[in-house]
Amino acid sequence: MPGSAPPAGRQSVDDVALWYHTLELPGGVVTPGWFDLRGVVRRLPWPEVRGKRCLDVGTYDGFYAFELERRGAREVVATDIARHEDWDLPAPGRSQAEAALRQLAGEKGLGFEVAREVLGSRVEKRILSVYDLSPDRVGTFDVVVCGNLMLHLRDPVRALEAIRSVCTGRFMSIEEVSLGLSIALRKRAVAELRLDPRLGQWWVPNAAGHARVVAVAGFEVIEQMGPFSEPFGAGHPPRGRGAGPLALRLARQLLAGGDGVPHAALLARPVI
Ligand SMILES: C[S@@+](CC[C@H](N)C(=O)[O-])C[C@H]1O[C@@H](n2cnc3c(N)ncnc32)[C@H](O)[C@@H]1O
């Protein structure tokens, strides 16, 4: 359960307005994240990371970066944007969405800084858009991990090409997928156009579409997993009640193994 944390320099767990990730910190402190990946992380298609140089793109509070470090990576770099205004948001409703983000999420990147300090982590944070990843700027990486970023981008293929330019070994991609389209069109690559400025969402593919987009950017997909549910954490706002939301929850239980946001994960290697 959330609680008081050991002091982290000037700021502590309680100073973070919104925890995206549920993180286990020293002293029995568990951050009240919007999403709790602890139950799914072991099932993801991880490559060997021990002794490797690794990158986590779009790290938020750093769940995957700290996991790479825990698994024995030699060096971990975590990237993110600096400000809420740097999200790739659809133009209609953009300024309202930015204001809502500022109010809800508070200081961008504070959760990562607090967690890194209390964990005594050596993960290096770099402020850099995924579009700007290049060997000149960050070097190359044996392993790249990226979760839940493509649906927030106007141009996911360009972003994946930039990831490919810095990936020499393995790329693990974990993304929200449309559960209905993944079940109904298992082999056909399609995507749902969300264009929701409040959530900063553009396209959400089905599982086949997720794999296809990664392949088009110059990867060979070597392992796939899902759809599976990424569970909500203790800090997530209450979900809707009534027959519609209940039916949705039941469908996710039945088809994706639990309540949460439907996801697919894959492991790929660069081929171009
Ligand atoms: C939905 S969160 C996902 C966090 C984490 N990767 C996960 O899978 O749980 C998306 C993250 O990507 C970051 N982000 C948004 N646009 C970005 C961009 N153009 N380049 C890099 N990161 C970006 C956001 O700031 C946020 O930290």
Side-chain angles (χ1 to χ4, degrees):
M1 288 299 294
S4 295
R10 287 178 300 108
Q11 291 176 294
S12 75
V13 167
D14 296 332
D15 294 318
V16 176
L18 184 156
W19 283 96
Y20 185 86
H21 289 134
T22 303
L23 297 174
E24 291 181 0
L25 301 179
V29 174
V30 180
T31 63
W34 273 40
F35 294 97
D36 187 347
L37 312 184
R38 291 175 297 170
V40 296
V41 67
R42 279 170 211 84
R43 294 190 280 128
L44 295 176
W46 286 96
E48 180 54 74
V49 308
R50 191 163 292 278
K52 307 262 168 87
R53 183 168 197 251
C54 301
L55 172 68
D56 176 27
V57 183
T59 196
Y60 216 123
D61 297 328
F63 182 89
Y64 288 120
F66 300 134
E67 179 66 16
L68 285 163
E69 188 173 47
R70 199 188 66 74
R71 285 172 177 257
R74 180 180 88 245
E75 182 188 345
V76 182
V77 176
T79 60
D80 212 312
I81 48 177
R83 309 170 313 142
H84 299 301
E85 292 75 12
D86 297 333
W87 286 86
D88 226 359
L89 296 172
R94 183 179 182 118
S95 51
Q96 293 93 318
E98 287 170 353
L101 267 173
R102 280 194 297 273
Q103 198 190 4
L104 183 69
E107 186 184 333
K108 186 97 180 106
L110 180 61
F112 177 90
E113 296 305 333
V114 169
R116 180 173 58 178
E117 182 155 346
V118 294
L119 286 168
S121 163
R122 294 170 53 231
V123 171
E124 182 196 346
K125 174 89 174 278
R126 293 279 301 267
I127 296 297
L128 190 65
S129 170
V130 61
Y131 294 125
D132 297 328
L133 285 171
S134 73
D136 285 350
R137 286 199 173 92
V138 290
T140 57
F141 294 87
D142 305 303
V143 173
V144 181
V145 172
C146 181
N148 280 307
L149 176 55
M150 296 308 137
L151 80 160
H152 295 296
L153 299 177
R154 180 194 309 258
D155 192 343
V157 177
R158 183 158 76 89
L160 287 163
E161 285 174 350
I163 288 177
R164 194 208 62 226
S165 77
V166 299
C167 178
T168 53
R170 292 288 183 272
F171 172 45
M172 184 167 76
S173 169
I174 311 110
E175 290 288 337
E176 178 175 345
V177 292
S178 160
L179 185 57
L181 292 176
S182 298
I183 304 290
L185 299 169
R186 216 165 54 82
K187 297 205 168 146
R188 213 169 121 206
V190 293
E192 178 188 324
L193 191 52
R194 289 225 176 125
L195 295 186
D196 185 340
R198 288 168 310 124
L199 299 171
Q201 297 185 353
W202 295 82
W203 345 81
V204 176
N206 65 351
H210 172 218
R212 184 86 184 103
V213 170
V214 170
V216 153
F219 289 96
E220 179 192 5
V221 176
I222 51 183
E223 205 178 325
Q224 277 182 265
M225 170 194 163
F228 62 91
S229 276
E230 197 170 282
F232 300 110
H236 197 283
R239 268 89 61 206
R241 289 159 181 257
L246 180 64
L248 194 62
R249 275 205 285 280
L250 279 174
R252 287 170 170 177
Q253 292 277 5
L254 275 173
L255 302 169
D259 189 20
V261 181
H263 278 69
L266 60 78
L267 186 65
R269 63 170 160 241
V271 288
I272 295 177

